[in-house]
Amino acid sequence: MSEPTAPPPSFWTEPRGVRTWLATTDHKRIAILFFVGTALALMLGGTFALILRVELVVPDHGIVGAHAYDKLFTHHGIVMVWMFMIPAIPGVFGNFLVPLMIGANELAFPRLNRASFWVYATGACITLAALIGGGVDTGWTFYTPYSTTTPTAVAVVCVGVFVLGISSVMTGLNFIVTVHTRRAPSVPWMKLPLFVWTIYATSIILVLATPVLGLSLALVGADHVWHLGLFDPAAGGDPVLFQHLFWFYSHPAVYIMVLPAMGVVSEVVSTFAHNRPASYGGIVVATIGIALVGFFTWGHHMFVAGMSMFDTGMFGALSMFVAVFSAIKMFAWVITFYRGRVVLAAPVLYVFTFLFLFLFGGMTGVAVATSSLDVHWHDTYFIVAHFHFIMVGATLTAYLAALHYWFPKLTGRRYSEVWARRAAVAVALGFVGTFLPQFLLGNAGMPRRYYAYPEEWQWLHVASTCGAGLLALGLGTTLVYLGVALRRGPPSGDDPWQSRGFEWRTPSPPPAVAFSAPPVWERDAYSYEDEVP
Amino acid sequence: MTRLAITYALLMALALASWLVVPAGYALPIAAVKAGLIVAVFMDLARAHPVPRIAALVALLLFALLCAGTYADVATR
Amino acid sequence: MISGRAHALRITVWLVVASEGLLFAGLFALYAGYRAEYPRGFAEGVGLAVGWLGGTNTLVLLTSSFAMAAAIQAGPRAARRWLVGVLGLGGVFLGLKGAEWAIHIGDGLVPGAHYAGPHTPGTALFVTLYYAMTGLHALHLVAGLAMVAWARRREDPAVTECVGIYWHFVDLVWVVLWPLFYLLS
Amino acid sequence: MDDLLRRALMLPPRASSAAAGLDHLHYVVLGCALAVALVLFGLLGWFVVRFRDRPGHARVRPGARSRRFEVGLAAVTLAVFVTLWIGGFAQLRAMRTPGPNALEVYVVAKQWMWSFVYPDGTAAEDELRVPVGQPVELLLTSRDVIHSFYVPAFRLKQDAVPGRMTSLAFTATEAGTYDILCAEYCGAGHSRMRGRVIALPAADYARWLVAHDAPDLARAGARLAHERGCLRCHDVRAVAPPLLGIYGRPVPLADGSTAIADAAYLTESLMDPAAKVHAGYAATMPSYLGQLSAADTAALVEYIREARP
């Protein structure tokens, strides 16, 4: 980390030396370590995505062969899901901000927090070693019996992802105990910032769902090495049962990815509308509702997999309930702008993108949950577009919103607003250009994970690849101007956005020990009433 | 201490009954009763703070949900 | 809001118990699914089990759970003696379990390719699940024994209580495992 | 208008009875999404402009929103979503119940090709011929990994799971040739695993049936039954349940329920004998999974269907 020019002492400079950074238990420094790790994962996963998109420009052999293509989309999935989407917002912004938002100096277990980063780094290294050492071609879903019979490095990747899962459980455990036992007296439950609520709800899923993923991947890894035959049809095994175990984790996992993003949006909307969130209680109920009801809907991934009609009916109906909670939040966010004082800046531009893309991502989810339409759309590019609308459209844009909104908090500097807006527009247009054509490809019937496709769909792929180029350009620009701002950005002051959020009531960047005594905050985190004459 | 001793005696009795006397059909309900006793008395959940109680309840609910969802799929095929 | 170390430790151990409980849930779900698909094969599988070993292990583990509960309530000196009891009984359980596995492996009841047990469809799956579930349980039991030994040295009531809750959880899992593999034929 | 919208959304032409219903539900859901988007982003745009930060911007105290309004909004949203589900699930049930006397065709998926076996025993690679207007029921299975039989023009797909039989029912409505694609990732050849459904008008289908000489399947089945040793156990009452004359009749099962001895039951009993065990018999029949080609299976079933006690 470069030394800012003679700033006041902060957690950046407090104990000097690289060794103190590597062995740190300071939640702020661990957040920076997580930022470096997840940003590298995002770039690696993004590179895989770009290669895939360039390959798909031609209907048949392009720049890589079929087997290499299969490995690329698998690695893209694994790196993005487990090394960026799941750890990013909780690991970076959860670690940094939750203590500041509840008036605590540290998480409940600082050493466990340090361990969760280094277990994450270990898991990432094991997984990357397997990817470099030969790679895996099963798709990130590891469906048996293909995953237990393909001669690729499945066992090692299973170990790697298992270790990443352990890191998830550690992080979740730490946040839950912190929110329960480290809140300052002036931060009771119903005055908790909404971002802390979403990190708390995400932690519940992290702690309760990850073990089932650990088990299913352990069984696949063990079956790959010792041929247990647990899912082997020849030995009477049933591949659909593996899918039950896998999706019991993987659907709540998509809520692990989107809930923290919703927390960021709640904070940014409230600050840039300078208004109390439309329905604090409604958003909290929706947050906890998503976390719990999210466990009831995994079967909608298996409508055409050979699951019984009874289960198909049950899971379809239950999926509609979890969709309602997202709808409540959408209404609440939009209404928050009513009678506010709206300030436009890069974070809120990303939030507008989030609102637009999350609406269509969510509604296509409802469309698929009707179960009859899923028979046509399942495993086609319609589904690819649906989950990218949520994962990239919602979570990545919220991650960028968070990055810009809390950049002054983390670094004490301002980024270039002009470049930030250009990048935001490029990211939004690039995203729509990439994934709108994929909805049409899905309607036309192009299946997922297709290396070669009929010629008549080529123009859609070319459009999608152009969109991907623009999206990559937007993200690259963001990297550049944020890097520049890190060195030469003008000082931002402690609260550049005039936000009432608790995290802005400590100096930016905060010192190593933020609170000498538990803070006493009379006004809560959304008290903009004093702006009203 | 006597509360523990009584529970222990009850658990042993239930185990022996389920093993030697009671037909196999009742094995699972008896196991559920024993599990309930262990959680309530030995793990002291009966007198615990609401947070551990909610955690235990949610875990039990999700455990039952996964088993029921999988069983129902195979049973109603 | 009750702050304080004991409360934080108690929430933590209950979250670990919930998390480990769901790790077992995956295997119980597989058992439920495969039992629905092969009722006859699973019933025959239960017939293969060594009944008295399973039963004795259940009584041993229940006794160890009682000893642990007593240790939590007892004073520091008495707790150390109760915890020796827990370690001993845990060792007995592992010994019996090892003997049982040796018997079954001797009979050719081995998961995967070298399975030589009855060929009723589903029985091979039953055997594989048997090793997976009792193996995972034994793994957790060994971890429990290490924690009990650590708690005995620490002599900190809060730590002893948390390790106790984890130990009862391991006993709880066995209480539910026992009918599935030894009684439901 | 309907066709214009279909073409705009890149939906393939409609060639099965289910396609039209699905497309209309598609329009309804798309309509809902656009309507909600219009309302929400209209409001958002108005609020952002009307209440933007500018000199002299007089803040007005935001009205308290009643809890009833929030709960009401959530209830309406839930009602719309559940209604969409009711419509969708009803369509799914209709799609998955085969029509009367449906034409049964076996579909066997194998790493990277499709093979079909017609009732008269003829087998075909990658090409499925069906009569227009007559219900068809495909009985799918796979020899290796999971594949998924997908015909975009019919808007239908169903996974072919190894070791199990799954079914896909449809009725072709338009004569023509439609692509079959594999929709579940199955390895390097996943995108090359393509076939064609050729829907023929009833007359042409009849002529096609006669044109190619279908071997007498029952005789072929009988020959196989001898070769494979079926008759060693079957019809020896003490060892195995009788085969002759049971086709179509209810079979009492070990767990007390009964099953109808139709093509699906017989094929399943060949592939996975323990799935439905005849009452009173031990499940000692070995599985023929992977040893019998689709044509042999069809021949054996035909033999059992034709044979008299």
PDB file of all heavy atoms in Angstrom, chain B residues 19-47:
ATOM      1  N   TRP B  19     -34.442 -51.125  22.151  1.00  0.00           N
ATOM      2  CA  TRP B  19     -33.533 -52.147  21.638  1.00  0.00           C
ATOM      3  C   TRP B  19     -34.150 -53.542  21.782  1.00  0.00           C
ATOM      4  O   TRP B  19     -34.217 -54.335  20.846  1.00  0.00           O
ATOM      5  CB  TRP B  19     -32.214 -52.054  22.426  1.00  0.00           C
ATOM      6  CG  TRP B  19     -31.154 -53.027  22.009  1.00  0.00           C
ATOM      7  CD1 TRP B  19     -31.211 -53.882  20.954  1.00  0.00           C
ATOM      8  CD2 TRP B  19     -29.906 -53.246  22.656  1.00  0.00           C
ATOM      9  NE1 TRP B  19     -30.049 -54.614  20.871  1.00  0.00           N
ATOM     10  CE2 TRP B  19     -29.233 -54.258  21.910  1.00  0.00           C
ATOM     11  CE3 TRP B  19     -29.277 -52.691  23.768  1.00  0.00           C
ATOM     12  CZ2 TRP B  19     -27.956 -54.701  22.269  1.00  0.00           C
ATOM     13  CZ3 TRP B  19     -28.021 -53.154  24.109  1.00  0.00           C
ATOM     14  CH2 TRP B  19     -27.372 -54.163  23.362  1.00  0.00           C
ATOM     15  N   LEU B  20     -34.681 -53.801  22.957  1.00  0.00           N
ATOM     16  CA  LEU B  20     -35.044 -55.194  23.257  1.00  0.00           C
ATOM     17  C   LEU B  20     -36.542 -55.455  23.209  1.00  0.00           C
ATOM     18  O   LEU B  20     -36.991 -56.521  22.814  1.00  0.00           O
ATOM     19  CB  LEU B  20     -34.510 -55.563  24.656  1.00  0.00           C
ATOM     20  CG  LEU B  20     -32.987 -55.362  24.823  1.00  0.00           C
ATOM     21  CD1 LEU B  20     -32.583 -55.513  26.288  1.00  0.00           C
ATOM     22  CD2 LEU B  20     -32.225 -56.339  23.937  1.00  0.00           C
ATOM     23  N   VAL B  21     -37.326 -54.460  23.604  1.00  0.00           N
ATOM     24  CA  VAL B  21     -38.757 -54.764  23.836  1.00  0.00           C
ATOM     25  C   VAL B  21     -39.617 -54.239  22.686  1.00  0.00           C
ATOM     26  O   VAL B  21     -40.296 -54.979  21.998  1.00  0.00           O
ATOM     27  CB  VAL B  21     -39.200 -54.104  25.186  1.00  0.00           C
ATOM     28  CG1 VAL B  21     -40.673 -54.393  25.397  1.00  0.00           C
ATOM     29  CG2 VAL B  21     -38.324 -54.593  26.322  1.00  0.00           C
ATOM     30  N   VAL B  22     -39.518 -52.964  22.464  1.00  0.00           N
ATOM     31  CA  VAL B  22     -40.507 -52.299  21.587  1.00  0.00           C
ATOM     32  C   VAL B  22     -40.262 -52.700  20.126  1.00  0.00           C
ATOM     33  O   VAL B  22     -39.113 -52.824  19.697  1.00  0.00           O
ATOM     34  CB  VAL B  22     -40.354 -50.759  21.755  1.00  0.00           C
ATOM     35  CG1 VAL B  22     -41.296 -50.043  20.811  1.00  0.00           C
ATOM     36  CG2 VAL B  22     -40.592 -50.372  23.197  1.00  0.00           C
ATOM     37  N   PRO B  23     -41.342 -52.950  19.339  1.00  0.00           N
ATOM     38  CA  PRO B  23     -41.136 -53.316  17.913  1.00  0.00           C
ATOM     39  C   PRO B  23     -40.440 -52.191  17.139  1.00  0.00           C
ATOM     40  O   PRO B  23     -40.469 -51.031  17.552  1.00  0.00           O
ATOM     41  CB  PRO B  23     -42.566 -53.535  17.406  1.00  0.00           C
ATOM     42  CG  PRO B  23     -43.452 -52.867  18.380  1.00  0.00           C
ATOM     43  CD  PRO B  23     -42.752 -52.928  19.721  1.00  0.00           C
ATOM     44  N   ALA B  24     -39.851 -52.553  16.012  1.00  0.00           N
ATOM     45  CA  ALA B  24     -39.001 -51.618  15.238  1.00  0.00           C
ATOM     46  C   ALA B  24     -39.776 -50.364  14.833  1.00  0.00           C
ATOM     47  O   ALA B  24     -39.209 -49.280  14.735  1.00  0.00           O
ATOM     48  CB  ALA B  24     -38.464 -52.325  13.991  1.00  0.00           C
ATOM     49  N   GLY B  25     -41.095 -50.517  14.651  1.00  0.00           N
ATOM     50  CA  GLY B  25     -41.870 -49.371  14.152  1.00  0.00           C
ATOM     51  C   GLY B  25     -41.745 -48.153  15.062  1.00  0.00           C
ATOM     52  O   GLY B  25     -41.768 -47.010  14.607  1.00  0.00           O
ATOM     53  N   TYR B  26     -41.554 -48.394  16.374  1.00  0.00           N
ATOM     54  CA  TYR B  26     -41.512 -47.251  17.299  1.00  0.00           C
ATOM     55  C   TYR B  26     -40.093 -46.726  17.493  1.00  0.00           C
ATOM     56  O   TYR B  26     -39.853 -45.828  18.293  1.00  0.00           O
ATOM     57  CB  TYR B  26     -42.087 -47.653  18.669  1.00  0.00           C
ATOM     58  CG  TYR B  26     -43.558 -47.998  18.614  1.00  0.00           C
ATOM     59  CD1 TYR B  26     -43.985 -49.321  18.488  1.00  0.00           C
ATOM     60  CD2 TYR B  26     -44.520 -46.991  18.631  1.00  0.00           C
ATOM     61  CE1 TYR B  26     -45.330 -49.638  18.392  1.00  0.00           C
ATOM     62  CE2 TYR B  26     -45.875 -47.303  18.529  1.00  0.00           C
ATOM     63  CZ  TYR B  26     -46.277 -48.627  18.412  1.00  0.00           C
ATOM     64  OH  TYR B  26     -47.616 -48.935  18.302  1.00  0.00           O
ATOM     65  N   ALA B  27     -39.106 -47.308  16.780  1.00  0.00           N
ATOM     66  CA  ALA B  27     -37.710 -46.920  17.064  1.00  0.00           C
ATOM     67  C   ALA B  27     -37.504 -45.423  16.853  1.00  0.00           C
ATOM     68  O   ALA B  27     -36.930 -44.732  17.689  1.00  0.00           O
ATOM     69  CB  ALA B  27     -36.774 -47.728  16.157  1.00  0.00           C
ATOM     70  N   LEU B  28     -37.994 -44.905  15.712  1.00  0.00           N
ATOM     71  CA  LEU B  28     -37.727 -43.489  15.415  1.00  0.00           C
ATOM     72  C   LEU B  28     -38.444 -42.549  16.386  1.00  0.00           C
ATOM     73  O   LEU B  28     -37.805 -41.632  16.918  1.00  0.00           O
ATOM     74  CB  LEU B  28     -38.122 -43.179  13.968  1.00  0.00           C
ATOM     75  CG  LEU B  28     -37.004 -43.477  12.937  1.00  0.00           C
ATOM     76  CD1 LEU B  28     -37.425 -43.078  11.536  1.00  0.00           C
ATOM     77  CD2 LEU B  28     -35.713 -42.745  13.335  1.00  0.00           C
ATOM     78  N   PRO B  29     -39.715 -42.779  16.705  1.00  0.00           N
ATOM     79  CA  PRO B  29     -40.331 -41.864  17.686  1.00  0.00           C
ATOM     80  C   PRO B  29     -39.594 -41.872  19.027  1.00  0.00           C
ATOM     81  O   PRO B  29     -39.366 -40.824  19.630  1.00  0.00           O
ATOM     82  CB  PRO B  29     -41.747 -42.430  17.837  1.00  0.00           C
ATOM     83  CG  PRO B  29     -42.011 -43.219  16.600  1.00  0.00           C
ATOM     84  CD  PRO B  29     -40.690 -43.716  16.128  1.00  0.00           C
ATOM     85  N   ILE B  30     -39.156 -43.069  19.453  1.00  0.00           N
ATOM     86  CA  ILE B  30     -38.425 -43.122  20.742  1.00  0.00           C
ATOM     87  C   ILE B  30     -37.116 -42.344  20.614  1.00  0.00           C
ATOM     88  O   ILE B  30     -36.717 -41.581  21.496  1.00  0.00           O
ATOM     89  CB  ILE B  30     -38.166 -44.593  21.143  1.00  0.00           C
ATOM     90  CG1 ILE B  30     -39.489 -45.277  21.469  1.00  0.00           C
ATOM     91  CG2 ILE B  30     -37.198 -44.676  22.312  1.00  0.00           C
ATOM     92  CD1 ILE B  30     -39.347 -46.747  21.814  1.00  0.00           C
ATOM     93  N   ALA B  31     -36.454 -42.501  19.464  1.00  0.00           N
ATOM     94  CA  ALA B  31     -35.194 -41.756  19.256  1.00  0.00           C
ATOM     95  C   ALA B  31     -35.471 -40.256  19.348  1.00  0.00           C
ATOM     96  O   ALA B  31     -34.695 -39.494  19.933  1.00  0.00           O
ATOM     97  CB  ALA B  31     -34.610 -42.114  17.890  1.00  0.00           C
ATOM     98  N   ALA B  32     -36.625 -39.847  18.797  1.00  0.00           N
ATOM     99  CA  ALA B  32     -36.957 -38.407  18.832  1.00  0.00           C
ATOM    100  C   ALA B  32     -37.134 -37.959  20.284  1.00  0.00           C
ATOM    101  O   ALA B  32     -36.613 -36.897  20.692  1.00  0.00           O
ATOM    102  CB  ALA B  32     -38.239 -38.155  18.039  1.00  0.00           C
ATOM    103  N   VAL B  33     -37.815 -38.794  21.079  1.00  0.00           N
ATOM    104  CA  VAL B  33     -38.012 -38.426  22.496  1.00  0.00           C
ATOM    105  C   VAL B  33     -36.658 -38.317  23.205  1.00  0.00           C
ATOM    106  O   VAL B  33     -36.362 -37.354  23.916  1.00  0.00           O
ATOM    107  CB  VAL B  33     -38.902 -39.497  23.193  1.00  0.00           C
ATOM    108  CG1 VAL B  33     -38.879 -39.298  24.705  1.00  0.00           C
ATOM    109  CG2 VAL B  33     -40.311 -39.455  22.626  1.00  0.00           C
ATOM    110  N   LYS B  34     -35.798 -39.305  22.951  1.00  0.00           N
ATOM    111  CA  LYS B  34     -34.481 -39.267  23.607  1.00  0.00           C
ATOM    112  C   LYS B  34     -33.726 -38.013  23.188  1.00  0.00           C
ATOM    113  O   LYS B  34     -33.115 -37.304  24.000  1.00  0.00           O
ATOM    114  CB  LYS B  34     -33.690 -40.525  23.207  1.00  0.00           C
ATOM    115  CG  LYS B  34     -34.124 -41.768  23.954  1.00  0.00           C
ATOM    116  CD  LYS B  34     -33.733 -43.062  23.218  1.00  0.00           C
ATOM    117  CE  LYS B  34     -32.269 -43.225  23.037  1.00  0.00           C
ATOM    118  NZ  LYS B  34     -31.990 -44.427  22.191  1.00  0.00           N
ATOM    119  N   ALA B  35     -33.787 -37.703  21.858  1.00  0.00           N
ATOM    120  CA  ALA B  35     -33.085 -36.503  21.367  1.00  0.00           C
ATOM    121  C   ALA B  35     -33.638 -35.263  22.082  1.00  0.00           C
ATOM    122  O   ALA B  35     -32.875 -34.404  22.552  1.00  0.00           O
ATOM    123  CB  ALA B  35     -33.279 -36.382  19.854  1.00  0.00           C
ATOM    124  N   GLY B  36     -34.976 -35.235  22.219  1.00  0.00           N
ATOM    125  CA  GLY B  36     -35.579 -34.081  22.892  1.00  0.00           C
ATOM    126  C   GLY B  36     -35.074 -33.960  24.326  1.00  0.00           C
ATOM    127  O   GLY B  36     -34.709 -32.868  24.792  1.00  0.00           O
ATOM    128  N   LEU B  37     -34.987 -35.090  25.011  1.00  0.00           N
ATOM    129  CA  LEU B  37     -34.495 -35.058  26.404  1.00  0.00           C
ATOM    130  C   LEU B  37     -33.058 -34.533  26.458  1.00  0.00           C
ATOM    131  O   LEU B  37     -32.734 -33.646  27.255  1.00  0.00           O
ATOM    132  CB  LEU B  37     -34.549 -36.477  26.981  1.00  0.00           C
ATOM    133  CG  LEU B  37     -35.898 -36.907  27.579  1.00  0.00           C
ATOM    134  CD1 LEU B  37     -35.858 -38.389  27.962  1.00  0.00           C
ATOM    135  CD2 LEU B  37     -36.200 -36.055  28.820  1.00  0.00           C
ATOM    136  N   ILE B  38     -32.213 -35.058  25.571  1.00  0.00           N
ATOM    137  CA  ILE B  38     -30.804 -34.640  25.609  1.00  0.00           C
ATOM    138  C   ILE B  38     -30.707 -33.135  25.381  1.00  0.00           C
ATOM    139  O   ILE B  38     -30.016 -32.410  26.107  1.00  0.00           O
ATOM    140  CB  ILE B  38     -29.998 -35.413  24.530  1.00  0.00           C
ATOM    141  CG1 ILE B  38     -29.890 -36.889  24.892  1.00  0.00           C
ATOM    142  CG2 ILE B  38     -28.613 -34.807  24.346  1.00  0.00           C
ATOM    143  CD1 ILE B  38     -29.227 -37.735  23.818  1.00  0.00           C
ATOM    144  N   VAL B  39     -31.462 -32.642  24.363  1.00  0.00           N
ATOM    145  CA  VAL B  39     -31.367 -31.208  24.024  1.00  0.00           C
ATOM    146  C   VAL B  39     -31.899 -30.363  25.180  1.00  0.00           C
ATOM    147  O   VAL B  39     -31.271 -29.401  25.622  1.00  0.00           O
ATOM    148  CB  VAL B  39     -32.167 -30.930  22.725  1.00  0.00           C
ATOM    149  CG1 VAL B  39     -32.360 -29.438  22.529  1.00  0.00           C
ATOM    150  CG2 VAL B  39     -31.440 -31.538  21.526  1.00  0.00           C
ATOM    151  N   ALA B  40     -33.064 -30.797  25.735  1.00  0.00           N
ATOM    152  CA  ALA B  40     -33.711 -29.931  26.740  1.00  0.00           C
ATOM    153  C   ALA B  40     -32.939 -29.947  28.056  1.00  0.00           C
ATOM    154  O   ALA B  40     -32.695 -28.891  28.649  1.00  0.00           O
ATOM    155  CB  ALA B  40     -35.141 -30.416  26.971  1.00  0.00           C
ATOM    156  N   VAL B  41     -32.500 -31.119  28.488  1.00  0.00           N
ATOM    157  CA  VAL B  41     -31.920 -31.209  29.851  1.00  0.00           C
ATOM    158  C   VAL B  41     -30.400 -31.170  29.824  1.00  0.00           C
ATOM    159  O   VAL B  41     -29.755 -30.277  30.372  1.00  0.00           O
ATOM    160  CB  VAL B  41     -32.406 -32.524  30.538  1.00  0.00           C
ATOM    161  CG1 VAL B  41     -31.786 -32.623  31.923  1.00  0.00           C
ATOM    162  CG2 VAL B  41     -33.914 -32.553  30.583  1.00  0.00           C
ATOM    163  N   PHE B  42     -29.826 -32.119  29.077  1.00  0.00           N
ATOM    164  CA  PHE B  42     -28.346 -32.166  29.103  1.00  0.00           C
ATOM    165  C   PHE B  42     -27.747 -30.904  28.486  1.00  0.00           C
ATOM    166  O   PHE B  42     -26.819 -30.307  29.022  1.00  0.00           O
ATOM    167  CB  PHE B  42     -27.856 -33.410  28.330  1.00  0.00           C
ATOM    168  CG  PHE B  42     -27.984 -34.699  29.119  1.00  0.00           C
ATOM    169  CD1 PHE B  42     -27.641 -35.917  28.565  1.00  0.00           C
ATOM    170  CD2 PHE B  42     -28.452 -34.677  30.428  1.00  0.00           C
ATOM    171  CE1 PHE B  42     -27.745 -37.096  29.289  1.00  0.00           C
ATOM    172  CE2 PHE B  42     -28.567 -35.842  31.161  1.00  0.00           C
ATOM    173  CZ  PHE B  42     -28.216 -37.062  30.576  1.00  0.00           C
ATOM    174  N   MET B  43     -28.322 -30.475  27.302  1.00  0.00           N
ATOM    175  CA  MET B  43     -27.763 -29.282  26.651  1.00  0.00           C
ATOM    176  C   MET B  43     -28.385 -28.015  27.227  1.00  0.00           C
ATOM    177  O   MET B  43     -28.055 -26.902  26.811  1.00  0.00           O
ATOM    178  CB  MET B  43     -27.996 -29.356  25.128  1.00  0.00           C
ATOM    179  CG  MET B  43     -27.274 -30.534  24.478  1.00  0.00           C
ATOM    180  SD  MET B  43     -27.852 -30.839  22.794  1.00  0.00           S
ATOM    181  CE  MET B  43     -26.523 -30.149  21.834  1.00  0.00           C
ATOM    182  N   ASP B  44     -29.288 -28.217  28.188  1.00  0.00           N
ATOM    183  CA  ASP B  44     -29.848 -27.098  28.941  1.00  0.00           C
ATOM    184  C   ASP B  44     -30.526 -26.061  28.048  1.00  0.00           C
ATOM    185  O   ASP B  44     -30.486 -24.862  28.323  1.00  0.00           O
ATOM    186  CB  ASP B  44     -28.718 -26.398  29.744  1.00  0.00           C
ATOM    187  CG  ASP B  44     -29.299 -25.877  31.072  1.00  0.00           C
ATOM    188  OD1 ASP B  44     -30.479 -26.211  31.327  1.00  0.00           O
ATOM    189  OD2 ASP B  44     -28.610 -25.156  31.783  1.00  0.00           O
ATOM    190  N   LEU B  45     -31.152 -26.538  26.964  1.00  0.00           N
ATOM    191  CA  LEU B  45     -31.807 -25.567  26.066  1.00  0.00           C
ATOM    192  C   LEU B  45     -33.097 -25.049  26.702  1.00  0.00           C
ATOM    193  O   LEU B  45     -33.556 -23.962  26.415  1.00  0.00           O
ATOM    194  CB  LEU B  45     -32.141 -26.236  24.712  1.00  0.00           C
ATOM    195  CG  LEU B  45     -32.375 -25.247  23.557  1.00  0.00           C
ATOM    196  CD1 LEU B  45     -31.117 -24.442  23.300  1.00  0.00           C
ATOM    197  CD2 LEU B  45     -32.810 -25.965  22.302  1.00  0.00           C
ATOM    198  N   ALA B  46     -33.665 -25.878  27.631  1.00  0.00           N
ATOM    199  CA  ALA B  46     -34.946 -25.481  28.229  1.00  0.00           C
ATOM    200  C   ALA B  46     -34.793 -24.143  28.956  1.00  0.00           C
ATOM    201  O   ALA B  46     -35.678 -23.291  28.897  1.00  0.00           O
ATOM    202  CB  ALA B  46     -35.392 -26.567  29.205  1.00  0.00           C
ATOM    203  N   ARG B  47     -33.627 -23.942  29.592  1.00  0.00           N
ATOM    204  CA  ARG B  47     -33.466 -22.693  30.376  1.00  0.00           C
ATOM    205  C   ARG B  47     -32.548 -21.721  29.663  1.00  0.00           C
ATOM    206  O   ARG B  47     -31.996 -20.812  30.260  1.00  0.00           O
ATOM    207  CB  ARG B  47     -32.863 -23.041  31.754  1.00  0.00           C
ATOM    208  CG  ARG B  47     -33.740 -23.971  32.584  1.00  0.00           C
ATOM    209  CD  ARG B  47     -33.092 -24.260  33.932  1.00  0.00           C
ATOM    210  NE  ARG B  47     -31.821 -25.001  33.757  1.00  0.00           N
ATOM    211  CZ  ARG B  47     -31.180 -25.576  34.783  1.00  0.00           C
ATOM    212  NH1 ARG B  47     -31.686 -25.508  36.004  1.00  0.00           N
ATOM    213  NH2 ARG B  47     -30.051 -26.222  34.594  1.00  0.00           N
TER     214      ARG B  47
END
